[in-house]
Amino acid sequence: MMKHLFLIALLFVCTTLHGIAQELPQVLVFSKTKGFRHDSIEKGAEAIQKLGREHGFSVYHTEDAGVFTDDQLQKYKAIVFLSTTGDILNPEQQAAFERFIQAGNGFVGIHAASDTEYDWPWYGKMVGGYFASHPEVQTADIHVHDHSHLATQHLPEIWKHKDEWYDFKDLNPAVNLLMTIDEKSYKGGKMGDYHPVSWHHTYDGGRAFYTALGHTKETYDDADFLQHIAGGITYALGKPANK
């Protein structure tokens, strides 16, 4: 009798846990590269999986572009491009991704996501700009312009951070600025007084967040950066930006 009751209880617990897991919003982390490949990708994917466990979302990491179909994408609420590079999706996969965003879902671009799909204007406007150049990795001053957003509410007014600082071209003026970098605080910047490094916006029915940070492996040990990413993903999943 006791054994029977134990098995029933065990089945109940397993069923409950399975139900909870099924209810978690699912995030696809995509890191396919057809150009330069960052050696921080694997560590970054592991860090995002840990963030998922801490913040209540499940993560699936892949470099298989075949997942970009309507049927496979419907299980996800947000897609993270983790230092992707080059032309990584064919036209059919691009169309599926567009429909995913148009259905009200979210996108997060990390670092080299802006060094991706230069011949796809829809993507360029969504990510918010394209990579143009960068100097060597160095410490610089980031100015936080919006402390109401989940991705920046924990940061100081001026955040000293070491990373690879992208210069951009074809910036989308419709995005909402989160952070800029002070070019006087490092060597090699080419954008002048207005040099954005993170932003967000609603786009074609969905939501998009981008950060230029995330080049080095060490970045994924930085608690402030990890909270920055967690806030961006939470926003992309549909939570209010300033909750």
Side-chain angles (χ1 to χ4, degrees):
M1 180 66 177
M2 291 298 295
K3 182 178 180 182
H4 181 66
L5 290 174
F6 173 77
L7 290 174
I8 292 175
L10 182 61
L11 178 61
F12 174 78
V13 170
C14 291
T15 303
T16 301
L17 291 174
H18 178 72
I20 292 172
Q22 289 294 100
E23 291 173 3
L24 291 178
Q26 297 190 55
V27 174
L28 174 66
V29 175
F30 188 58
S31 57
K32 182 177 179 179
T33 57
K34 278 204 169 180
F36 181 83
R37 184 173 180 84
H38 287 76
D39 64 6
S40 60
I41 285 175
E42 285 70 27
K43 188 171 182 179
E46 291 175 1
I48 295 171
Q49 289 169 335
K50 185 173 185 290
L51 289 175
R53 293 190 292 272
E54 295 170 349
H55 293 271
F57 56 88
S58 63
V59 175
Y60 176 66
H61 175 218
T62 187
E63 300 200 348
D64 178 10
V67 73
F68 283 81
T69 67
D70 293 333
D71 287 344
Q72 294 195 59
L73 291 183
Q74 67 179 351
K75 70 181 73 170
Y76 301 105
K77 293 296 183 183
I79 295 174
V80 178
F81 272 29
L82 175 60
S83 284
T84 51
T85 54
D87 184 3
I88 53 176
L89 299 179
N90 66 32
E92 291 77 19
Q93 292 160 352
Q94 291 176 358
F97 191 17
E98 290 182 13
R99 289 189 292 270
F100 173 83
I101 295 297
Q102 291 160 358
N105 297 303
F107 169 80
V108 170
I110 299 176
H111 196 53
S114 59
D115 187 24
T116 301
E117 296 288 355
Y118 288 90
D119 297 323
W120 183 11
W122 181 91
Y123 176 84
K125 289 183 180 180
M126 180 183 65
V127 75
Y130 283 119
F131 163 78
S133 62
H134 66 79
E136 68 276 5
V137 173
Q138 57 196 296
T139 300
D141 292 346
I142 296 171
H143 291 253
V144 179
H145 295 267
D146 182 357
H147 276 99
S148 70
H149 196 278
L150 291 166
T152 50
Q153 61 187 9
H154 63 292
L155 294 172
E157 294 288 337
I158 299 177
W159 178 24
K160 290 187 178 295
H161 180 75
K162 185 177 183 179
D163 219 305
E164 182 180 70
W165 304 112
Y166 277 6
D167 299 300
F168 295 98
K169 60 184 179 181
D170 301 329
L171 286 171
N172 182 349
V175 303
N176 303 301
L177 180 68
L178 290 174
M179 306 190 308
T180 59
I181 188 169
D182 183 356
E183 289 196 355
K184 296 186 293 293
S185 68
Y186 74 105
K187 296 179 180 179
K190 297 180 179 179
M191 295 184 69
D193 292 336
Y194 181 69
H195 189 152
V197 291
S198 184
W199 51 79
H200 72 98
H201 61 137
T202 56
Y203 181 74
D204 201 15
R207 298 161 303 282
F209 166 86
Y210 174 78
T211 182
L213 284 61
H215 172 77
T216 69
K217 290 181 179 179
E218 292 74 21
T219 305
Y220 295 92
D221 294 320
D222 184 324
D224 283 335
F225 172 72
L226 292 174
Q227 184 59 42
H228 178 56
I229 293 299
I233 294 173
T234 303
Y235 162 73
L237 285 169
K239 301 290 182 67
N242 58 356
K243 185 174 180 180

